[in-house]
Structures are given as structure tokens and as C-alpha cells.
Amino acid sequence: MLKDRFENEISIEEMSDLHPDEYVLVDIRDEISHDYGCIPSSVSMENIIDLSKEGKLDKERSYILYCMHGSQSSNAANELRHMGYDALSLKDGYASWLKESIGRTDPKIRIKAEESILNEYKDKLYIPFSKAIDEFELIEDGDKIAVCISGGKDSMLMAKLFQVYKNKSDKNFDLMFLVMDPGYSELNRMLIEDNARKLGVNITIFESSIFNIVDNVDKSPCYLCARMRRGNLYATAKEHGFNKIALGHHFDDAIETILMGISYAGNYQTMMPKLKSDNFEGMELIRPMYLIREKDIIEWRDYNGLHFIQCACHFTDTCSSCRDDGTSISKRMETKKLIERLKKDIPDIEKNIYESSKNIILDSIIEYKKGKDKHTFLENYKNKTA
């Protein structure tokens, strides 16, 4: 079917003319990119070339491959065709599919998204959001909160949760939905603005040149980028008269941070639900999605047929290569996979890791730090009885 074509690419329009049974749509990006957002009905097969070389790919089927922009999938389709497979590459990749979806604003999307928060996903999203606010005392009367939106699934859901919460809460506080453009690609910027319109989120966008600055940094560009973004958000929120910024980190982020500290840095520290800024007096950071599971965020996104940007990263523009805490996605992915392996033997591993951060027994700690001071068990050892 596809092999009769001289070129190895097919456009979105041409693909839409085909019957879905005529081909297998294959996402060759990494697994985390596929899970974050993909073309409906596509299958994730990052190792499709290896499968073909091992004879595990059905030569009787036709394949349309896509990556983010079409370059990698074009090379992969060529390689498959040389091996006798019927394969094409989706021209301009997942980006072209996203562009097709931009501008199709349906007022029912906003209504469905809001109603699902209070109905289908009340127990998974709204209740843990409210619980975190109460348990960690994240909001007080008179607060002015800048809800920081990166454009991804977490921050966009956080914006909707804040809107719903404010309508139902007795607390008196103000909101501003703040988007920093550190040098987004045109597609990312368009997608953020489009999703904000679809979801009824009135965003305030400001520009920065962070991506251009970190372009010339060789050592730890992700860490520097994250620090600069955080500082810019604090500064802009403060200029607008706001005293808090809200970030969309969730329960899985917190658990992974603990394990990553142990595994890669040799320390034990948690991603705190709230922090006072050291550099911006009177400013505070809050994480109201602290008790929400990532799988439930994904379910809500897919239930509402929403597609968000995965990453702001200027280096790749394809995957979330750096996080708001400056950690690389490779380390995050390794940690996620480690947790999945541990869950096979310890089903409550995530809950246990979280509870461990609330049950630290200082009498059994060799050393710990409080501020800049280091303390050891030897300080009071002689005065203790066995």
C-alpha cells in the first residue's frame, strides 16, 4: 500500500484519507514522550529498527512512523524500506499533528474539563489538591498567588484546579496565571496559548532570554536554566504585587526526588510542599499538587482529549530534558523505572518512601544538617544510656 510511493513521507492530510486498518501508526520517540502526548491510536515503538533486525516486525503490515519533527522517523522509514518493509514517515512529525489541532476551540472542552474535576476525578484530583492546601497551610486569606504555567499537563491542570477551588473555597485570595516564555519554539508558544483559550485560563505572558543564555553554558545547563526560570518567576510575581508562586510538582515528583538524592547525590532531602524564598523577601513557593498522582493527571488529560507541550527545552524541543528542579529526564526516567521494578515486590513502595520523609528518627542518624550546621550522633552519645 505505502511502498508504491516514490517519496518516503506522507502528510497529515494524506494519512487522514487512509483507513486506519491499512497501516500501523508508530511513535518512535522515547517512551516518556509517547506517554506525555501522542497521536491517538499510535503505538510506542522506540526500538522498531531493532525489532525489524530481529525479525520480530510483521512484514505483512504497513507502517507510518513519526517522531517530533519528522527527521528521525524519515531515517527510520528509509532503513525499514531498505529491509523490505512497507514504511513511510509522517511529514513534520507529531508537531504537524499538533498544529492541525490548534485553533479548534470548543466551549464544551472547558466545561467538561471543569466538571470532570468535580465528578469523575474528584477523589483523585480535587480532594488531594484541597487536602494539600489544608494540611500544609499553603493558602491564607489575603494571599496573592501567581500560578506558574509552563504549558505542560501538570501546570495546566493546576490552573484549572485553582479556578475550581477558588469558586468553592471560603478563603479570600487572588490568582494570576503566569506564563514565562524563555524562548519557546513557535509551536510551543502557540500550543500554550491555544490550550489556555480552550480551558478558559486567562494567562499573563512575559518574555525572557533564558534559553539564549544557557545555549552557551557547557556545565549543568539544565540546573542553571531551572534556577534562572525560578528567579524570573519570583521577580515577575513580586513586581505584580503577588506574594506566592505555585508550581505544578506532584506526588511522583516528590518521591523521585528523594530516591534521586539518595542514588545520585548521596543525600536525603525531600521536595518540600512550600518554601520561603532566600532571594526574594516576603515571597513563598507552594506546591498544591503535592498529593496528586501523575497517572491520575494523565487520565484526566486523556479523558478530556487534551494535548499539552512536553517540554520547554531549547536544546531538544522534543522531550522534557530538564525539570523545574534542574534534574535531567534521563535520571528521572531511570528512577521511574526503578520504582516500577520495586513495586513488583513492594506494592506500597511509593507510599512508604513518602511516609519515610515524615518518620525520620534522628537518634538513628549518623549525621544531619540543619541550615549550615552539621550535627553528628557523637554530640550526645556519651550522655545516653544503652
Side-chain angles (χ1 to χ4, degrees):
M1 179 272 298
L2 304 177
K3 65 179 63 175
D4 296 332
R5 299 173 61 96
F6 176 75
E7 66 278 8
N8 79 329
E9 290 186 326
I10 186 170
S11 68
I12 284 287
E13 294 79 8
E14 291 172 315
M15 188 175 73
S16 65
D17 291 335
L18 300 175
H19 192 280
D21 292 340
E22 294 184 74
Y23 62 92
V24 179
L25 183 59
V26 181
D27 185 346
I28 68 165
R29 297 173 300 161
D30 58 87
E31 182 182 347
I32 196 169
S33 297
H34 178 82
D35 290 344
Y36 204 99
C38 63
I39 301 176
S41 78
S42 65
V43 295
S44 177
M45 210 179 294
E46 181 183 3
N47 61 339
I48 189 170
I49 299 300
D50 292 335
L51 291 174
S52 64
K53 291 178 179 177
E54 295 167 5
K56 296 179 180 179
L57 198 65
D58 187 357
K59 277 198 172 184
E60 300 302 314
R61 302 299 307 272
S62 298
Y63 301 92
I64 296 179
L65 318 181
Y66 74 88
C67 58
M68 187 62 192
H69 295 289
S71 176
Q72 292 175 322
S73 59
S74 179
N75 292 335
N78 272 334
E79 191 167 348
L80 288 177
R81 286 157 73 95
H82 285 311
M83 288 188 282
Y85 288 92
D86 189 13
L88 291 178
S89 170
L90 180 62
K91 187 177 181 180
D92 298 325
Y94 182 54
S96 66
W97 186 87
L98 285 175
K99 286 179 182 177
E100 287 289 317
S101 69
I102 290 175
R104 300 175 189 169
T105 302
D106 182 350
K108 293 180 181 178
I109 294 177
R110 178 186 62 79
I111 296 170
K112 182 183 178 183
E114 291 176 357
E115 289 181 345
S116 64
I117 285 173
L118 291 175
N119 294 306
E120 291 84 357
Y121 294 94
K122 182 177 181 179
D123 292 340
K124 295 179 177 179
L125 299 179
Y126 185 75
I127 288 178
F129 184 81
S130 303
K131 181 181 178 182
I133 289 173
D134 293 337
E135 181 176 331
F136 302 125
E137 301 177 357
L138 301 183
I139 298 178
E140 300 174 1
D141 282 339
D143 274 343
K144 294 181 177 294
I145 304 169
V147 181
C148 301
I149 300 175
S150 65
K153 67 185 192 315
D154 307 328
S155 61
M156 291 300 291
L157 171 58
M158 178 175 64
K160 292 308 300 178
L161 284 166
F162 261 117
Q163 287 182 325
V164 174
Y165 181 83
K166 184 171 174 58
N167 288 335
K168 293 177 66 67
S169 174
D170 294 331
K171 290 184 173 70
N172 177 30
F173 63 95
D174 294 329
L175 295 173
M176 172 176 65
F177 300 103
L178 187 62
V179 176
M180 179 184 66
D181 183 345
Y184 286 139
S185 67
E186 181 183 6
L187 174 61
N188 277 348
R189 175 71 177 251
M190 290 170 59
L191 195 57
I192 291 171
E193 293 174 338
D194 187 62
N195 279 323
R197 283 192 296 269
K198 287 177 179 175
L199 292 171
V201 178
N202 185 22
I203 57 177
T204 298
I205 302 178
F206 72 97
E207 317 282 342
S208 76
S209 56
I210 291 176
F211 284 172
N212 287 333
I213 295 172
V214 298
D215 263 351
N216 300 313
V217 175
D218 295 325
K219 187 176 181 180
S220 302
C222 294
Y223 177 77
L224 177 61
C225 179
R227 293 276 296 183
M228 292 179 68
R229 281 187 285 152
R230 184 81 55 86
N232 272 258
L233 290 169
Y234 269 128
T236 303
K238 189 168 186 176
E239 286 174 8
H240 283 79
F242 286 71
N243 66 308
K244 291 181 178 179
I245 65 170
L247 299 184
H249 296 118
H250 46 67
F251 183 86
D252 297 71
D253 288 325
I255 299 310
E256 291 157 14
T257 296
I258 293 173
L259 272 185
M260 289 172 67
I262 295 171
S263 304
Y264 295 103
N267 62 40
Y268 186 100
Q269 58 180 339
T270 62
M271 178 180 281
M272 298 296 287
K274 64 179 181 180
L275 290 169
K276 290 185 177 180
S277 173
D278 293 329
N279 301 315
F280 296 87
E281 187 177 355
M283 295 294 294
E284 198 171 353
L285 179 155
I286 61 173
R287 294 183 170 106
M289 296 178 68
Y290 201 83
L291 301 178
I292 294 177
R293 298 304 308 268
E294 184 175 28
K295 63 181 177 62
D296 298 326
I297 299 172
I298 292 172
E299 279 187 24
W300 174 84
R301 177 202 66 191
D302 294 345
Y303 176 83
N304 290 286
L306 298 167
H307 296 270
F308 303 111
I309 72 167
Q310 180 183 342
C311 181
C313 183
H314 188 50
F315 295 110
T316 63
D317 199 26
T318 58
C319 65
S320 198
S321 64
C322 61
R323 304 280 302 216
D324 285 333
D325 56 3
T327 57
S328 72
I329 196 58
S330 59
K331 291 180 181 178
R332 283 272 169 191
M333 194 62 190
E334 288 169 6
T335 306
K336 284 180 184 289
K337 290 180 178 178
L338 172 60
I339 292 173
E340 288 303 311
R341 291 197 297 271
L342 292 172
K343 280 175 69 173
K344 294 177 181 178
D345 297 318
I346 314 170
D348 293 330
I349 184 67
E350 291 140 315
K351 178 183 176 183
N352 292 341
I353 293 172
Y354 174 66
E355 291 299 324
S356 74
S357 69
K358 301 192 294 182
N359 289 296
I360 294 174
I361 303 169
L362 287 181
D363 287 339
S364 67
I365 300 298
I366 296 174
E367 289 185 359
Y368 69 93
K369 292 180 180 179
K370 186 172 179 60
K372 295 182 179 180
D373 299 326
K374 182 184 289 187
H375 302 271
T376 83
F377 78 104
L378 292 173
E379 291 174 355
N380 299 309
Y381 182 76
K382 291 183 180 179
N383 298 325
K384 289 185 177 181
T385 57

